[in-house]
Amino acid sequence: MTEILIRGRVLTFVDEPQHVDDTSALRYFEDGAVLVRNGKVAGFGHYSDVSKSMSGDGTSVDHRPNLIVPGFIDTHLHFPQTQAIASYGAQLLEWLNTYIFVEEQKFAEPEHASLIARRFMDELLSNGTTTAVAYCSVHPESVDAYFAAAQERGMLMIGGKVMMDRNAPEKLRDTPQQGYDETKRLIDKWHGRGRAHYAISPRFAITSTPEQMEVSRTLVLEHPECYVQTHLSENRDEIAFATSLYPQAKDYTDIYAQYGLLGRRTLLGHCIYLSEREVSVLAETGAVGVFCPTSNLFLGSGLFDRDRFDRAGARYSVATDVGAGTSFSMLETMDEAYKVLHLQGQRLSPLNSFYMMTLGNARALGLDDRIGSLHVGADADLVVLDSCAKPSMELRMQIASSLVEELFVMQTMGDDRCVAEVYVAGKARKHPVRRPQQQKRPEPLLRV
Ligand code: GUN
Ligand code: ZN
């Protein structure tokens, strides 16, 4: 048995906060502790109580005055786009063709896939993200690299090979049969192995023929235990193109509905320009709209209307969408989420931000029995946050007078520097940071 007592200020949510200082939705312990036994939470609460349950030979670590919260969860990003982040000047379709479909071809090479998968996981961890849902490339090797890197670090990760059989370069296309066979093999190999979960991943309606959408339907019927991830209604040109390819569909959402792809395990990236009818279809089916604020601003896509989702009773989650998203940090993501909502007269309270990054996203994934909150029996995925990590934050914190204010400072000013430590199934994973072997910049440094 391995046992570790992690001491610090402890914060976890038990429900969605209903207003800016709805402390009934959270549990907070000023001198708190989390007891971890064999990778699971065995107790949490006041240090003086929890420490009594420790057996004699456990270890303890003291993170005071830092704040311990459940590990962050990112519900949508693209692991093959790790190096294509910050690609200049284009909107969605041009950006995909100019940068992304070039970058993703490199993942035919298993060594490249493996190198980037390891860097990707380390980047998530150094930002405090312990679970994420990612698209891999069309190559099955990229999925192997992704889950192998997650397994090395003990992380609960969700992902799958994108299926694309049109409107993409030949080297990135599969066929309906190949998409089916490869997805099937990858599900058999990875789903349920350790902490891995598979996501059936037709990229979006533009890059899949009706035959491939039919195959996706079959995969979902054969594997209802798997997630489904795709993109919906991100950009006006995309919507026009997608609906022109499926003229029999009522609208973009109806394309996925017609192929049986909407359900409680379906994650739909973006969902910006939905009609009332489409939002109500999401509410009826339980499919999750994924709000990706840094991406939506970076690609000039538009503003996610959260209040409309709430009014309709539709489910949503929040995500980075790297590499259209500009940061791996969920803190930076919530900073942009706040601004996107503010522009529409909507409020995102700090409690709500921290709820969304943890329990809210866990609920969206149906994994709240295991991750996203501290409860006895939960997987011990934790992040330790330092709200004074930067001089400007330290100065700002000198006049902060409440936990809510501290959370808002972290959400607004924070990034990976605030992550003092991260625990995955009870193991510290932020340090030692794996340093890349060659730190040299590529030559020539500047080409003008
Ligand atoms: N739609 C289809 N593929 C992608 C992608 O890789 N990124 C984003 N932001 N939107 C997409
Ligand atoms: Zn995406």
Side-chain angles (χ1 to χ4, degrees):
M1 180 176 82
T2 59
E3 196 178 71
I4 174 169
L5 184 70
I6 305 169
R7 186 174 186 178
R9 293 186 297 130
V10 172
L11 170 67
T12 188
F13 289 87
V14 292
D15 218 334
E16 180 175 1
Q18 297 302 313
H19 53 84
V20 67
D21 49 10
D22 180 8
T23 48
S24 69
L26 59 85
R27 300 289 175 267
Y28 176 65
F29 305 92
E30 183 70 27
D31 184 4
V34 182
L35 180 63
V36 178
R37 206 171 277 147
N38 297 329
K40 304 259 185 210
V41 175
F44 73 101
H46 296 292
Y47 172 77
S48 55
D49 298 332
V50 180
S51 57
K52 288 190 197 119
S53 327
M54 244 191 127
S55 64
D57 49 3
T59 53
S60 11
V61 49
D62 190 351
H63 287 294
R64 288 176 299 167
N66 291 338
L67 186 67
I68 301 169
V69 301
F72 297 145
I73 299 168
D74 185 347
T75 56
H76 178 133
L77 78 171
H78 298 257
F79 122 72
Q81 297 175 18
T82 302
Q83 272 190 302
I85 195 166
S87 293
Y88 176 76
Q91 288 217 346
L92 175 65
L93 299 178
E94 186 192 350
W95 172 83
L96 282 172
N97 286 316
T98 311
Y99 302 112
I100 300 308
F101 289 161
V102 176
E103 186 66 19
E104 292 194 1
Q105 293 184 42
K106 299 178 188 166
F107 289 75
E109 184 51 63
E111 275 174 21
H112 180 76
S114 173
L115 174 81
I116 300 299
R118 284 188 254 121
R119 291 294 296 268
F120 173 82
M121 299 297 165
D122 287 344
E123 198 57 45
L124 289 176
L125 290 176
S126 63
N127 281 283
T129 299
T130 48
T131 286
V133 189
Y135 291 73
C136 301
S137 70
V138 74
H139 317 96
E141 297 80 3
S142 75
V143 182
D144 290 337
Y146 173 83
F147 282 125
Q151 202 171 49
E152 273 165 28
R153 290 154 183 78
M155 296 164 76
L156 193 166
M157 293 292 287
I158 301 166
K161 147 203 155 67
V162 287
M163 292 187 281
M164 295 200 273
D165 67 342
R166 67 169 161 185
N167 293 318
E170 202 202 323
K171 287 195 174 140
L172 286 186
R173 291 203 300 266
D174 53 12
T175 64
Q177 188 64 44
Q178 195 186 347
Y180 175 82
D181 292 341
E182 290 176 349
T183 298
K184 210 67 194 158
R185 269 201 300 277
L186 290 164
I187 292 171
D188 288 346
K189 181 167 180 184
W190 288 109
H191 186 80
R193 181 164 157 191
R195 302 181 80 194
H197 296 249
Y198 198 86
I200 297 162
S201 311
R203 189 181 200 119
F204 64 160
I206 289 178
T207 47
S208 288
T209 59
E211 294 71 34
Q212 188 162 68
M213 297 292 265
E214 200 55 65
V215 151
S216 302
R217 180 213 300 274
T218 306
L219 286 164
V220 172
L221 287 171
E222 290 175 352
H223 295 282
E225 72 282 12
C226 289
Y227 292 91
V228 178
Q229 59 178 349
T230 189
H231 295 83
L232 173 63
S233 205
E234 176 177 6
N235 166 293
R236 292 189 192 281
D237 292 342
E238 171 219 13
I239 297 165
F241 192 7
T243 49
S244 77
L245 294 170
Y246 290 89
Q248 80 293 356
K250 291 192 195 94
D251 45 42
Y252 198 166
T253 301
D254 196 41
I255 301 173
Y256 298 131
Q258 287 192 358
Y259 290 98
L261 298 183
L262 301 183
R264 291 188 67 81
R265 297 177 85 78
T266 303
L267 300 165
L268 300 163
H270 307 294
C271 295
I272 295 172
Y273 297 103
L274 300 180
S275 66
E276 289 298 316
R277 194 204 82 81
E278 291 178 282
V279 178
S280 68
V281 170
L282 299 196
E284 278 158 29
T285 57
V288 177
V290 185
F291 176 20
C292 305
T294 73
S295 164
N296 297 159
L297 295 176
F298 180 72
L299 291 180
S301 300
L303 307 177
F304 179 85
D305 186 347
R306 180 205 58 190
D307 283 3
R308 208 150 68 101
F309 272 68
D310 276 335
R311 278 195 304 276
R315 302 169 74 214
Y316 55 87
S317 64
V318 67
T320 64
D321 191 30
V322 163
T326 49
S327 170
F328 279 86
S329 167
M330 288 302 292
L331 293 172
E332 289 189 305
T333 300
M334 298 320 292
D335 178 32
E336 300 299 290
Y338 175 88
K339 296 170 192 168
V340 165
L341 296 177
H342 209 348
L343 274 170
Q344 302 172 92
Q346 301 176 21
R347 284 280 174 282
L348 176 58
S349 76
L351 291 183
N352 224 274
S353 282
F354 276 77
Y355 164 79
M356 286 186 76
M357 291 186 275
T358 57
L359 182 57
N361 275 354
R363 284 178 170 177
L365 299 175
L367 288 173
D368 44 310
D369 57 331
R370 296 179 57 184
I371 57 171
S373 71
L374 302 175
H375 58 267
V376 172
D379 297 350
D381 294 346
L382 315 170
V383 54
V384 182
L385 296 171
D386 175 2
S387 54
C388 296
K390 305 193 293 189
S392 57
M393 293 180 78
E394 187 274 329
L395 192 63
R396 172 64 181 85
M397 281 302 297
Q398 286 179 19
I399 61 158
S401 58
S402 68
L403 174 68
V404 169
E405 198 174 349
E406 179 183 19
L407 296 179
F408 193 57
V409 168
M410 265 195 286
Q411 159 193 333
T412 308
M413 303 177 76
D415 55 30
D416 57 327
R417 285 168 284 187
C418 295
V419 177
E421 187 53 276
V422 63
Y423 290 89
V424 179
K427 282 210 173 80
R429 292 281 181 189
K430 171 119 179 165
H431 305 290
V433 175
R434 270 183 348 96
R435 283 267 146 241
Q437 273 148 15
Q438 352 68 311
Q439 281 277 2
K440 277 208 315 230
R441 285 163 186 272
E443 299 289 345
L445 191 54
L446 289 176
R447 224 176 27 225
V448 181

